[in-house]
Amino acid sequence: MISYLKNIIFYKDLLGNLTSNEMKLKYKNSILGILWSYIYPLMMIVIYNFAFKIILRMTIDNFALFVFIGLIPWNFVQSSISQSTNSIINNQNLVKKIYFPRAIIPLSVINANFITMIISHVILFGAMFFYHVEFTGALIILPILWIILYLVVSGISLVLSSITVKYRDVSHIVDVVFMAWFYLTPVIYSLSMVPEPFNKIIQLNPITNLIELFREVLLDGEFPDLTNILITFGYALALFVVGLFVFYRREKNFGEEL
């Protein structure tokens, strides 16, 4: 499997080209183009601030930022996994035409959404400045959290995209799961608000701790516990390795199943 990973790195130029194509397709025939990557998160801040702070009167300080910090990684998770699940099927002509490590296809989808997530952080920094949130040295942890999140999403996406080639129902199941997964992730609420019996269940969610870490770094301006970071990175790396292994074992069957 190490040779397979090296093969992916060898085809890095193809991965870059496919990522670029994904970005272009996302904004194809759009007047504003990539500007939507800035407009969309800005609109989310306004809408969630109005809905939860004014109408529902949530008492959490800087609630618009609180929600937005949770939504940025969540949107990356949802869009990447949802889009990559069918990525092999959607590119079956390319798969049948030439040889390259097929994992590049779902990874290109993830990369395009990863770029969008980074762009969203530019809007977030502007909002933090507007709300007078202090920028601290803890921000140096942010790239580490991005990498951990990327590994988690890649691991899940590689498994689902490879299984969907044979079992087409998986993509429909993923859509249903995401409806529940959103509410089982502390995006629009604080983990401390969850009663104790359910609190432990929500902490089993692989995204829960990451969102809490993002808030700790960005909103609280604090350095996370090093042990927590190492454990989170460990399970993220393990998830990526499992995902890559499953995809590698399934790839040889794609020709027959597509």
Side-chain angles (χ1 to χ4, degrees):
M1 195 177 66
I2 294 177
S3 61
Y4 186 72
L5 183 59
K6 289 180 179 178
N7 210 14
I8 293 174
I9 296 172
F10 179 78
Y11 282 88
K12 62 182 180 299
D13 290 338
L14 178 59
L15 176 58
N17 289 333
L18 290 178
T19 300
S20 178
N21 288 339
E22 287 291 333
M23 292 296 293
K24 291 175 182 176
L25 285 173
K26 184 179 292 189
Y27 303 108
K28 186 179 180 181
N29 298 326
S30 171
I31 295 174
L32 296 178
I34 199 170
L35 285 176
W36 279 111
S37 296
Y38 296 92
I39 296 172
Y40 180 69
L42 192 59
M43 291 173 63
M44 283 199 301
I45 292 178
V46 174
I47 292 170
Y48 277 94
N49 186 61
F50 178 77
F52 290 96
K53 193 70 175 179
I54 298 177
I55 297 178
L56 297 179
R57 301 182 183 279
M58 296 292 287
T59 56
I60 298 175
D61 292 336
N62 294 320
F63 188 71
L65 278 181
F66 177 88
V67 172
F68 191 41
I69 291 171
L71 277 173
I72 290 176
W74 171 256
N75 285 340
F76 170 63
V77 171
Q78 183 173 20
S79 57
S80 295
I81 295 176
S82 297
Q83 294 168 22
S84 63
T85 297
N86 284 317
S87 60
I88 301 296
I89 297 172
N90 293 340
N91 290 276
Q92 57 183 292
N93 291 332
L94 181 61
V95 170
K96 294 176 180 178
K97 190 177 297 183
I98 58 172
Y99 170 76
F100 60 92
R102 311 310 190 207
I104 282 178
I105 294 177
L107 289 176
S108 67
V109 174
I110 297 167
N111 286 354
N113 285 296
F114 187 77
I115 292 170
T116 300
M117 182 185 71
I118 301 301
I119 293 173
S120 295
H121 278 82
V122 176
I123 301 298
L124 172 62
F125 293 148
M128 288 171 62
F129 179 80
F130 178 80
Y131 283 99
H132 305 291
V133 175
E134 184 181 359
F135 290 82
T136 69
L139 288 175
I140 63 172
I141 304 296
L142 192 57
I144 298 175
L145 298 183
W146 290 343
I147 293 171
I148 293 173
L149 185 62
Y150 183 91
L151 291 173
V152 171
V153 170
S154 296
I156 297 172
S157 298
L158 287 169
V159 171
L160 293 176
S161 61
S162 64
I163 294 175
T164 305
V165 175
K166 184 174 184 178
Y167 304 104
R168 306 297 170 93
D169 292 336
V170 171
S171 60
H172 301 290
I173 295 173
V174 168
D175 292 337
V176 175
V177 167
F178 265 114
M179 287 192 292
W181 196 0
F182 176 77
Y183 292 103
L184 292 173
T185 306
V187 176
I188 58 175
Y189 60 85
S190 172
L191 188 60
S192 60
M193 297 169 63
V194 182
E196 187 57 38
F198 303 104
N199 189 288
K200 298 296 183 184
I201 296 174
I202 290 178
Q203 288 187 52
L204 295 175
N205 179 348
I207 308 301
T208 293
N209 188 47
L210 275 168
I211 288 181
E212 291 293 305
L213 286 171
F214 272 104
R215 287 187 176 132
E216 191 173 354
V217 168
L218 291 164
L219 196 58
D220 300 334
E222 298 177 358
F223 282 91
D225 179 66
L226 180 59
T227 303
N228 189 10
I229 291 286
L230 292 175
I231 292 174
T232 305
F233 179 79
Y235 83 66
L237 184 60
L239 193 55
F240 176 76
V241 171
V242 169
L244 192 63
F245 177 75
V246 171
F247 194 95
Y248 170 69
R249 294 296 298 269
R250 291 275 308 121
E251 183 180 312
K252 63 180 181 293
N253 300 319
F254 289 172
E256 299 174 0
E257 296 169 350
L258 285 172

